[in-house]
Amino acid sequence: MNTDAIDLSIIAPAFAAGLLVLATHVPLGAQVLKRGIVFIDLAIAQIAALGVIVAGFAGIEQGWPVQLAAGAAAVLGAFLLTWTEQRWPDVQEAQIGALFVLAATGGLLLLAHNPHGGEHLRDLLAGQILWVRYEQLGVPLIATIVIAAAIFLCKDRLGRLAFYLLFALAVTVSVQLVGVYLVFASLIVPALGVRNHPERRRLPLAYAIGMAGYALGLLLSMVFDLPSGALVVWCLALLAVAAHALGPARPAP
């Protein structure tokens, strides 16, 4: 353990990136559980990552064109999932899983002959949150404010297509900041931890789990020199388990 390794100039922007992700993903997580489409986040995040890979394959590796490629891929995925839910609603979860596998394996195929493909894929999945800097957060901040405002103003009035499009845009903003794994964990894990609590307490408690999980995970990753994204996921999960265990018992069916 090395407490001297803690550098707030590194942790602070990483934590700010985590807060941006949580701002939209915590309320969207409640919607995902309510709609019973838990794996949509993994699918859309993987599709956005595939858009980044396609952009790199075309020689575009940084700047707004990469964001545009990721966003376009995610929006196309949202339209596709809207169409599949209209046509075959009884197997939507299976279709989401199939789309995730296709996007993931598509990325593997595109990176098969890239000498740095393994490293690039790992960065997209696990993220490089500790390398985030404040100057990277300007556009995500604006996008997060707009998306969060739409989520909270519309709440349960979001139709199928509007929900999928907001979801796609939120994931596009977050996947390049924190990676696919943290995007999924930020969406699902806090929502799972608070599902038995009174409804008025769920959202504040879910945000508390998210903020504490990011803060603790980032600090521990520097102290123990462990991968930050993976450690934040575990901290989120442990805090969610604690919140669930300390909450009220689920009523018997």
Side-chain angles (χ1 to χ4, degrees), residues 22-33:
L22 291 169
T24 54
H25 282 49
V26 167
L28 282 173
Q31 288 281 332
V32 164
L33 288 184

Side-chain angles (χ1 to χ4, degrees), residues 7-22:
D7 187 342
L8 291 181
S9 67
I10 295 176
I11 290 180
F15 183 65
L19 292 180
L20 291 182
V21 173
L22 291 169

Side-chain angles (χ1 to χ4, degrees), residues 31-32 34-40 44 76-96 99 158-165 167:
Q31 288 281 332
V32 164
K34 183 178 179 180
R35 293 168 184 252
I37 47 174
V38 173
F39 292 106
I40 183 177
I44 294 293
L76 285 174
F79 276 115
L80 179 58
L81 288 175
T82 302
W83 179 74
T84 60
E85 187 173 334
Q86 291 173 333
R87 291 293 302 273
W88 306 287
D90 54 319
V91 290
Q92 179 68 350
E93 188 75 355
Q95 292 169 139
I96 290 171
L99 193 59
L158 282 174
R160 181 189 297 113
L161 179 58
F163 173 75
Y164 280 137
L165 288 176
F167 200 98

Side-chain angles (χ1 to χ4, degrees), residues 199-249:
E199 188 168 353
R200 69 182 183 280
R201 295 176 54 191
R202 288 177 191 169
L203 197 59
L205 185 55
Y207 274 122
I209 290 170
M211 289 186 287
Y214 270 88
L216 187 60
L218 290 170
L219 286 170
L220 292 177
S221 71
M222 297 201 77
V223 171
F224 294 102
D225 192 25
L226 291 171
S228 52
L231 200 50
V232 171
V233 169
W234 273 87
C235 288
L236 287 171
L238 291 173
L239 289 170
V241 168
H244 178 74
L246 295 172

Side-chain angles (χ1 to χ4, degrees), residues 32-119:
V32 164
L33 288 184
K34 183 178 179 180
R35 293 168 184 252
I37 47 174
V38 173
F39 292 106
I40 183 177
D41 188 49
L42 271 179
I44 294 293
Q46 192 66 59
I47 292 168
L50 181 62
V52 175
I53 293 171
V54 170
F57 193 71
I60 304 169
E61 297 184 354
Q62 58 184 351
W64 66 265
V66 177
Q67 290 286 348
L68 185 61
V75 168
L76 285 174
F79 276 115
L80 179 58
L81 288 175
T82 302
W83 179 74
T84 60
E85 187 173 334
Q86 291 173 333
R87 291 293 302 273
W88 306 287
D90 54 319
V91 290
Q92 179 68 350
E93 188 75 355
Q95 292 169 139
I96 290 171
L99 193 59
F100 163 73
V101 170
L102 287 170
T105 52
L108 288 174
L109 290 172
L110 288 176
L111 292 172
H113 298 297
N114 185 327
H116 304 292
E119 181 180 349

Side-chain angles (χ1 to χ4, degrees), residues 160-184:
R160 181 189 297 113
L161 179 58
F163 173 75
Y164 280 137
L165 288 176
L166 278 177
F167 200 98
L169 293 175
V171 167
T172 300
V173 170
S174 58
V175 73
Q176 290 189 74
L177 288 176
V178 300
V180 173
Y181 296 152
L182 256 181
V183 167
F184 180 75

